[in-house]
Amino acid sequence: MAISDASSLIGSQPISSSDLNTSTIIAITVFMTLLCACIVIGHLLEENRWANESITALLLGLASGGVVLLLSKGQSSRLLVFSEDLFFIYLLPPIIFNAGFQVKKKQFFKNFSTILLFGVFGTIISFCLISLGAFLLFKRIGVKSLDIQDYLAVGAILSATDSVCTLQVLNQEETPFLYSVVFGEGVVNDATSIVLFNAVQSLDFSNIDPLMALKLLGTFLYLFFTSTILGIAMGLLSAYGIKTLYFGRHSTDREVAIMMLMAYLSYMLAELLSLSGILTVFFCGIVMSHYTWHNVTESSRITTKHAFATISFIAETFIFLYVGMDALDIDKWKQSKSSAGTSVAVSSTLFALVLVGRAAFVFPLANISNCMKRRDSDKIELRKQFIIWWAGLLRGAVTIALSYNQFSESGETTSNERSLMITSTIIVVLFSTVVFGSITKPLIEAVLLRHAKPTTSDAADFASLEDLRVLFLENGDQSDNGGDEPAPKRSNFRLLMRYPTSTVHYFWRKFDDRFMRPVFGGRGFVPFVPGSPTGAADETT
């Protein structure tokens, strides 16, 4: 956090070092106590259909914010101030990295086309509809001081789903397809929203011309692909470095430390280069889990897996506590001098636009995806489409952070209506998280699980490599009439059209085994490290 930001959080009055230390200790003590309470309550409510740890932390944060507000006699407290730096620099990176590191890669890439449809194209559709709706409706409500950039920013802000809370109401074992799609869409969606938000801020709206949409698209594509490439490059660099230097010969601590630091470095480099750190660190996590993780000793594997998950869990819980307490920061509610009716109208309009914007892409894109799939078992049923639409309605800390970034300046809101946008966004986040989050799990049981077909599994994997080889051989035999000549290229193309996912996976595995793993390591190419409990075994797996 910048020094100026820290000073603004503490207040304008000079504070002695002893007072500063005391206030810091009090703040840390309060949050540590609340984190412990969230863990205990979450454990007790583990089997409850209507509650999860995200909602528990949010409600506990609201209650704690109310207590702090009463103790301070209605005055704003340092504990209740939301900091974008704290969120984007310290809390978000470990959550997104662990999401990429722990993702089930087969299930994720099996549904990758659907995830990209929803996460990229769907977010763009939602962004356009929400921006247009806000532009047409806000002036009728009485909000007239916003400009074109603000309306576009509203579209980007409200297009960001809350993947953290969404995943807590989905079960990977019971609904693996939904878990994979909603999880993948949530991460790509957050990245897309932030990329769109940054693209909107970087454009000059003083000279609007017909090429503005193309410039926006070009900026988005540049940020999206360069961020992804940077994440992959950093992951490969960590894998090559650890494989070559053999840190495990002397200290497993160095292995764990270099993995953590390289992951965090990828995020900070992306932010330094004005790219999407969330997308960079997500793909860095995927690459690290595929290559780097197999190059370290067995003890380091166990340590990193649990360390990343634990840090991510604490950061997730802290975020919801933070959002809950910030919702009762009295200053921004005082600065928004609009009537209660106007506040409710703006909040309702924003949430209605979220509902419409998500429905406008989930159902059409799901049916487009169904048209490209041959097997009925791979198609997205209407019930699943409904759950995907519902589960993606939740909004969270990314939405609030982007709202602060757009509608405030140096922590102080610049106008009543801009302050109104922040408070309305907070209302949308609270309502969607508490109401929709609590209903999602029972809704899945009522709509989906009761009608599940026992013979059909969402977790169907890729066709095995042997099955794919048989497909290629059979296709080659038909094309060559039993000759010894290899199958022509058009046979491979025909297989790609008929079995796109399996064919791409087949060629990727061949390329990975022949070129990537010998250089960067991975399963089956793990260097022998003396003293490693599984050193010899790893070489044969």
Side-chain angles (χ1 to χ4, degrees):
M1 184 184 299
I3 296 177
S4 59
D5 292 338
S7 300
S8 65
L9 293 182
I10 297 170
S12 58
Q13 297 298 325
I15 297 177
S16 65
S17 59
S18 60
D19 291 336
L20 178 60
N21 292 335
T22 302
S23 61
T24 302
I25 291 173
I26 291 175
I28 294 176
T29 302
V30 169
F31 275 106
M32 293 302 103
T33 304
L34 292 176
L35 284 171
C36 292
C38 285
I39 293 174
V40 173
I41 296 174
H43 170 71
L44 297 176
L45 296 177
E46 181 68 28
E47 303 300 328
N48 190 286
R49 298 193 309 161
W50 300 92
N52 56 67
E53 286 173 337
S54 297
I55 298 175
T56 301
L58 190 61
L59 295 177
L60 194 57
L62 282 170
S64 303
V67 172
V68 172
L69 202 60
L70 290 175
L71 293 177
S72 62
K73 298 180 180 179
Q75 299 297 319
S76 182
S77 171
R78 180 188 172 194
L79 289 173
L80 304 177
V81 177
F82 188 90
S83 170
E84 294 174 57
D85 290 341
L86 176 63
F87 173 71
F88 278 113
I89 296 179
Y90 302 108
L91 298 178
L92 189 60
I95 296 175
I96 302 302
F97 173 77
N98 184 66
F101 191 79
Q102 304 285 356
V103 67
K104 304 295 183 182
K105 292 184 289 294
K106 284 186 177 181
Q107 190 66 237
F108 178 80
F109 286 105
K110 176 186 177 182
N111 302 308
F112 193 62
S113 59
T114 304
I115 290 171
L116 282 183
L117 271 178
F118 289 161
V120 177
F121 295 102
T123 305
I124 294 174
I125 294 173
S126 178
F127 160 74
C128 295
L129 288 177
I130 293 175
S131 300
L132 180 60
F135 177 76
L136 296 176
L137 297 176
F138 275 12
K139 291 183 179 180
R140 298 185 179 183
I141 297 174
V143 180
K144 300 179 180 179
S145 65
L146 304 183
D147 54 26
I148 295 296
Q149 188 177 40
D150 290 328
Y151 290 119
L152 291 176
V154 168
I157 290 168
L158 293 178
S159 296
T161 63
D162 182 19
S163 56
V164 176
C165 186
T166 299
L167 292 181
Q168 292 195 8
V169 296
L170 294 175
N171 188 292
Q172 189 170 12
E173 303 301 326
E174 294 178 351
T175 55
F177 171 78
L178 288 177
Y179 186 94
S180 173
V181 170
V182 176
F183 164 79
E185 184 219 340
V187 174
V188 176
N189 169 282
D190 282 348
T192 305
S193 299
I194 295 175
V195 168
L196 282 173
F197 183 81
N198 292 335
V200 167
Q201 289 192 323
S202 65
L203 294 177
D204 181 15
F205 289 89
S206 59
N207 298 317
I208 300 179
D209 54 47
L211 297 178
M212 182 64 69
L214 291 178
K215 292 179 182 178
L216 185 61
L217 178 62
T219 304
F220 166 75
L221 293 176
Y222 167 76
L223 292 175
F224 191 90
F225 286 107
T226 51
S227 301
T228 302
I229 292 172
L230 177 61
I232 294 173
M234 291 297 294
L236 292 176
L237 179 63
S238 69
Y240 183 79
I242 290 179
K243 178 177 180 292
T244 304
L245 297 176
Y246 292 171
F247 288 101
R249 287 180 302 178
H250 306 297
S251 171
T252 58
D253 296 340
R254 293 190 179 99
E255 290 182 320
V256 177
I258 198 68
M259 285 186 70
M260 290 184 174
L261 292 174
M262 288 290 286
Y264 192 72
L265 179 61
S266 70
Y267 183 89
M268 297 310 299
L269 280 176
E271 294 298 317
L272 184 64
L273 297 173
S274 299
L275 303 176
S276 172
I278 185 174
L279 202 61
T280 297
V281 77
F282 176 69
F283 278 97
C284 180
I286 291 179
V287 173
M288 276 193 172
S289 69
H290 189 67
Y291 297 111
T292 312
W293 190 73
H294 294 280
N295 295 339
V296 300
T297 57
E298 181 67 17
S299 58
S300 295
R301 295 181 198 173
I302 297 173
T303 302
T304 53
K305 184 176 181 179
H306 291 288
F308 293 150
T310 302
I311 295 172
S312 173
F313 170 76
I314 294 174
E316 291 171 10
T317 308
F318 187 90
I319 284 175
F320 284 101
L321 278 171
Y322 201 39
V323 169
M325 296 189 73
D326 175 72
L328 292 181
D329 180 11
I330 198 64
D331 281 350
K332 58 176 166 286
W333 295 96
K334 289 180 178 179
Q335 290 168 349
S336 177
K337 299 179 181 179
S338 303
S339 64
T342 302
S343 180
V344 171
V346 172
S347 302
S348 302
T349 301
L350 290 177
F351 194 73
L353 291 174
V354 171
L355 293 173
V356 175
R358 184 160 182 82
F361 77 81
V362 168
F363 298 104
L365 291 183
N367 285 282
I368 292 175
S369 176
N370 289 341
C371 293
M372 297 187 295
K373 297 178 180 178
R374 292 178 173 269
R375 294 187 300 178
D376 291 338
S377 59
D378 292 336
K379 295 183 178 180
I380 307 175
E381 302 173 358
L382 183 60
R383 289 193 296 268
K384 293 181 180 179
Q385 295 177 25
F386 178 78
I387 296 299
I388 293 172
W389 169 75
W390 181 279
L393 294 175
L394 281 68
R395 297 295 180 267
V398 172
T399 302
I400 292 180
L402 293 179
S403 180
Y404 271 102
N405 188 291
Q406 178 64 26
F407 297 110
S408 66
E409 184 176 350
S410 301
E412 298 292 336
T413 52
T414 56
S415 71
N416 297 337
E417 291 187 348
R418 300 178 76 84
S419 181
L420 173 64
M421 295 305 301
I422 295 178
T423 56
S424 298
T425 302
I426 292 175
I427 293 174
V428 170
V429 170
L430 294 177
F431 181 82
S432 64
T433 302
V434 175
V435 177
F436 281 73
S438 61
I439 297 176
T440 301
K441 191 181 295 185
L443 186 68
I444 292 176
E445 295 178 0
V447 174
L448 194 64
L449 298 182
R450 291 181 184 177
H451 300 87
K453 300 177 181 178
T455 57
T456 302
S457 173
D458 287 335
D461 240 341
F462 291 105
S464 68
L465 293 180
E466 290 299 326
D467 293 339
L468 286 169
R469 291 190 184 100
V470 170
L471 285 174
F472 275 85
L473 289 174
E474 287 178 352
N475 200 42
D477 291 340
Q478 293 173 2
S479 302
D480 300 329
N481 296 322
D484 294 332
E485 295 294 328
K489 291 184 178 180
R490 61 185 178 87
S491 300
N492 296 346
F493 180 76
R494 189 181 302 122
L495 277 177
L496 179 62
M497 293 296 100
R498 188 173 182 180
Y499 309 100
T501 304
S502 299
T503 305
V504 170
H505 181 245
Y506 172 79
F507 282 115
W508 161 248
R509 285 296 302 272
K510 291 182 64 176
F511 177 80
D512 192 31
D513 292 340
R514 181 174 298 180
F515 299 104
M516 299 297 289
R517 292 188 182 186
V519 176
F520 299 104
R523 183 176 299 169
F525 292 89
V526 181
F528 174 75
V529 180
S532 171
T534 58
D538 288 341
E539 289 185 323
T540 60
T541 55

